[in-house]
Amino acid sequence: MDSLNALRMLKEGNLRYTSGKSTRPTDYTQVRVELAEMGQSPYAVILGCSDSRVPPEIVFDASLGQLFVVRVAGNIADAITIGSVEYAVERLYAPLIVVLGHQKCASIATALYGGDHGPNIGAIIREINPSLEKVRSVGEWDIANRCEDENIRNTIVKLRGSRIISRLIDSKKLLIIGAKYQLETGEVDFWDDRDDCNT
C-alpha cells in the first residue's frame, strides 16, 4: 500500500467513527490468530498523545494490526519515540506517519502555566517549550491552541531529522503529515503541505 491510500483509509475511518458507522468487529478472535501467525503489516504509524480521549484505533475505526501506534504525553518526539517510528517505517514498511495532536492538550497547558513538576514530567515540558516560546514570540492570542499546532509541526521537524525517515521520504516511500483531533466532534483535521507538512 502507498502513503496516499493509507491516508485515504484513515480519513474514511474517521468519517465512519464520527458518523456512528464504525465497522470494527466485536470479536477479534480470527484477526488475532491471523496476526499471530502472519505478523503485522500496519498501513500507518500514528505518533499521538497519551490522552485517554484520543485512542487512534477507535478514532480511525481501525482493527488489530492496521496501525502502529506510538503514544506519549504531548505527542513529543524524543529518542525513544523516534526510534519506535523508525522501526515501523523501516522494518514494517508503513508508508505513512501521522503526528496526531489534539484540542485541549493537558501537556500543553502544563507547559503554558509552568511550575516545577519534577524531572520526568519536566522532560516532557522541555520538549514542548520551544513550541510555546515560538508562539509567544509572535504574540499569538490563542496561545494554547497555537502551541498545540506548533508542537505538531515541531514533532514533524524532529522526525524528519531522522536519517532513516528522511531517506524514505526522499525516495517517495514515506509521507509524514500532521493532524489534530477535535474533542467535541471526533473529527480529525489532516494537514497538507500548505501547513508546513511535507509531501
Side-chain angles (χ1 to χ4, degrees), residues 27 114-115 120 190:
D27 180 0
N120 299 315
F190 292 91

Side-chain angles (χ1 to χ4, degrees), residues 14 34 38 49 58 65 84-85 102-103 109 122 147 149 152 158 168 174-175 183 195 199:
N14 184 241
E34 289 172 3
M38 298 169 49
C49 184
I58 294 175
S84 298
V85 173
H102 67 93
Q103 206 179 30
C147 185
D149 294 350
I152 294 168
K158 288 187 173 186
L168 291 169
L174 180 65
L175 174 68
L183 292 176
D195 299 299
T199 54

Side-chain angles (χ1 to χ4, degrees), residues 70-119:
V70 180
R71 297 183 73 180
V72 60
N75 45 273
I76 60 170
D78 61 9
I80 292 171
T81 56
I82 293 171
S84 298
V85 173
E86 288 176 340
Y87 176 81
V89 297
E90 184 179 52
R91 301 292 179 87
L92 302 177
Y93 309 107
L96 175 67
I97 301 169
V98 177
V99 176
L100 179 64
H102 67 93
Q103 206 179 30
K104 300 180 181 177
C105 180
S107 297
I108 300 295
T110 302
L112 179 60
Y113 295 116
D116 181 7
H117 302 281

Side-chain angles (χ1 to χ4, degrees), residues 99-159:
V99 176
L100 179 64
H102 67 93
Q103 206 179 30
K104 300 180 181 177
C105 180
S107 297
I108 300 295
T110 302
L112 179 60
Y113 295 116
D116 181 7
H117 302 281
N120 299 315
I121 294 175
I124 296 168
I125 302 308
R126 282 192 298 278
E127 292 290 330
I128 294 170
N129 275 337
S131 298
L132 181 57
E133 290 167 10
K134 182 174 181 179
V135 171
R136 281 182 169 152
S137 72
V138 295
E140 294 284 1
W141 63 273
D142 185 3
I143 291 178
N145 183 50
R146 300 301 181 196
C147 185
E148 290 162 1
D149 294 350
E150 187 59 36
N151 190 54
I152 294 168
R153 290 185 183 93
N154 191 42
T155 296
I156 291 170
V157 168
K158 288 187 173 186
L159 289 171

Side-chain angles (χ1 to χ4, degrees), residues 166-182:
S166 63
R167 174 175 48 80
L168 291 169
I169 290 171
D170 291 344
S171 63
K172 307 296 185 192
K173 294 178 180 175
L174 180 65
L175 174 68
I176 179 170
I177 64 170
K180 190 169 182 182
Y181 180 76
Q182 304 300 320

Side-chain angles (χ1 to χ4, degrees), residues 50-69:
S50 298
D51 192 296
S52 63
R53 299 168 292 180
V54 195
E57 293 87 350
I58 294 175
V59 167
F60 296 117
D61 191 31
S63 187
L64 296 176
Q66 293 185 317
L67 302 179
F68 190 97
V69 178

